[in-house]
Amino acid sequence: MILFPAIDLKNGQCVRLEQGDMARATVFNLNPAAQAQSFVAQGFEYLHVVDLDGAFAGKPVNAEAVEAMLKAIKIPVQLGGGIRDLKTVEAWLDKGITRVIIGTAAVRDPELVKAAAKKFPGRVAVGLDARDGKVAVEGWAETSQVTVLEIARRFEDAGVAAIIFTDIARDGLLKGLNLDATIALADAISIPVIASGGLASIEDVKAMLTPRAKKLAGAIAGRALYDGRLDPAAALTLIRNARAPGS
């Protein structure tokens, strides 16, 4: 189980949104590279980054901030937001991103995901963000008519590294992860699933480590880390102990 600290980029700054609403953004750090370094210092092993402006624009917007982070840290980074074609996938992987996350294009252009996953095995993830079980696209501004499971099943044999499942209703509100829906998805497909949206406290981390959640590959933590509700050292110690043999 990997706990990913999240850096969401808007106007080159590190922000958190509530329920994906750009008008409800809180700026947490003016310097994303410094924030990334701080997460490394806290002991995190993998960083989750979203180019929010890119998700709305349909192309990378905060490339400068992302590149500054890549220069500042050595841990792997997964990146989503505005990745809608193979050229963009390739450009980011060349720049040092470990794994790209395709969201909107996974709904609109499933062939892109399949082509990217085939060309770059293990380096393409799919971001599925759900509002009432239906997938939202274009930076969550639109809701499609397809369910998360329908989309996820399209990629069963495509070589996708992970599916990042976000419950929009909880995102940025510290209501706790929607583990029931996330586990149901993980149980229905063979692709590893990462939980996102609403992680609020150490209780969520403990819930991720229970036997019923054993198929989950990780969780993304955002606001809870920024406002001090989740102690990184305590969370990472729990996860390390759970990984230890014999536990």
Side-chain angles (χ1 to χ4, degrees):
M1 214 280 282
I2 297 172
L3 187 62
F4 298 84
I7 291 184
D8 288 359
L9 298 168
K10 181 176 187 268
N11 302 329
Q13 300 170 340
C14 178
V15 304
R16 294 305 290 165
L17 305 186
E18 292 181 13
Q19 296 182 310
D21 185 345
M22 287 291 248
R24 290 152 75 195
T26 309
V27 176
F28 280 104
N29 198 324
L30 299 176
N31 184 337
Q35 184 61 59
Q37 286 172 319
S38 158
F39 282 141
V40 173
Q42 287 165 8
F44 289 100
E45 295 169 3
Y46 210 129
L47 187 62
H48 174 82
V49 179
V50 179
D51 178 352
L52 293 172
D53 301 301
F56 284 91
K59 59 181 194 292
V61 175
N62 286 289
E64 212 174 296
V66 176
E67 287 166 30
M69 282 193 276
L70 289 170
K71 283 195 183 79
I73 62 170
K74 292 284 177 274
I75 64 168
V77 177
Q78 63 181 19
L79 172 74
I83 301 171
R84 309 273 164 91
D85 55 44
L86 206 52
K87 197 167 90 245
T88 309
V89 169
E90 203 153 345
W92 277 128
L93 295 177
D94 283 348
K95 281 179 178 162
I97 291 293
T98 303
R99 184 156 77 187
V100 293
I101 303 161
I102 299 176
T104 295
V107 180
R108 302 261 162 89
D109 182 10
E111 292 311 310
L112 166 68
V113 174
K114 292 174 184 173
K118 191 175 175 184
K119 192 168 182 185
F120 306 105
R123 301 189 69 187
V124 176
V126 169
L128 295 181
D129 309 319
R131 192 181 274 117
D132 303 322
K134 300 277 171 52
V135 176
V137 292
E138 307 290 346
W140 300 353
E142 296 173 31
T143 306
S144 70
Q145 290 311 302
V146 279
T147 67
V148 169
L149 187 54
E150 284 172 73
I151 302 271
R153 284 200 165 131
R154 288 178 190 171
F155 303 119
E156 266 295 40
D157 301 314
V160 167
I163 285 185
I164 296 158
F165 172 65
T166 305
D167 182 348
I168 295 171
R170 291 168 186 247
D171 194 65
L173 297 184
L174 300 162
K175 287 182 173 177
L177 290 167
N178 184 347
L179 273 188
D180 291 342
T182 312
I183 289 166
L185 176 65
D187 285 342
I189 57 174
S190 60
I191 306 164
V193 175
I194 294 166
S196 164
L199 193 144
S201 69
I202 198 83
E203 295 311 313
D204 279 313
V205 177
K206 285 177 184 164
M208 289 283 304
L209 297 169
T210 57
R212 80 183 189 112
K214 68 177 181 298
K215 279 190 77 173
L216 299 185
I220 291 165
R223 190 173 286 268
L225 285 172
Y226 289 101
D227 65 12
R229 287 167 197 246
L230 182 64
D231 173 3
L236 291 169
T237 301
L238 262 182
I239 294 164
R240 255 193 303 276
N241 291 345
R243 278 184 197 160
S247 61

